[in-house]
Amino acid sequence: MRDAARRLSAQVGPFRRTLLNASRHEGELPTIPDAQIEVLRRLDEDGWASPTALGRSLGLARSTVSNLVAAVERDGLVERRLARGDGRSTEVGLTDLARERLRVYDAAAERVLLRALAGLPDADRAALAAALPVLARLQAAIAEPDGV
């Protein structure tokens, strides 16, 4: 298992970067740092959130979230508003531009993956499909080591 753990760890980052770069190229999208994409993805899933809640959900320090939010706001990907029910704090949410870029990226990633999968033998495609639930459980076990 130790060898499998090392190999999986060594493969995940390069796979993610390769898919990200190929999908950006396919979708003709600008380069956005991974950390900013994580902020956009979280907001896409959760909707409007305070920077504090965003940082908590991503496991990031307040100053890091502040810098990330400022960068994506500067690029027109998020906007701020006063928090509902609390006029003293703000929350951030996706702009239409961010939603469109995420949609384009997702469609491009699907095309990239489908092309690559089509070139694999049937047994490899079946093995990947069977591994997806295992990867989801592995991710949950890493995120919550005592809960799984």
Side-chain angles (χ1 to χ4, degrees), residues 13-124:
F15 175 83
R16 184 171 184 261
R17 282 188 298 280
T18 299
L19 176 60
L20 184 62
N21 290 331
S23 300
R24 283 177 180 152
H25 179 74
E26 173 85 13
E28 299 178 359
L29 293 166
T31 300
I32 301 172
D34 288 356
Q36 291 179 17
I37 292 171
E38 286 187 39
V39 167
L40 299 177
R41 286 284 181 202
R42 177 61 59 186
L43 291 171
D44 191 42
E45 290 176 22
D46 298 346
W48 289 86
S50 71
T52 300
L54 191 56
R56 202 174 310 121
S57 68
L58 292 171
L60 298 172
R62 180 179 294 185
S63 61
T64 302
V65 172
S66 178
N67 290 335
L68 290 169
V69 167
V72 291
E73 184 177 28
R74 200 172 34 251
D75 292 340
L77 301 173
V78 298
E79 58 189 352
R80 292 179 192 262
R81 70 178 185 196
L82 288 176
R84 298 195 186 235
D86 178 7
R88 296 171 290 151
S89 60
T90 62
E91 52 190 12
V92 293
L94 294 181
T95 63
D96 289 340
L97 175 62
R99 282 187 197 85
E100 176 62 13
R101 286 195 179 158
L102 289 172
R103 187 196 65 71
V104 168
Y105 172 82
D106 290 342
E110 183 177 323
R111 289 190 304 273
V112 165
L113 285 165
L114 285 172
R115 272 196 311 269
L117 288 166
L120 296 178
D122 289 344
D124 286 356

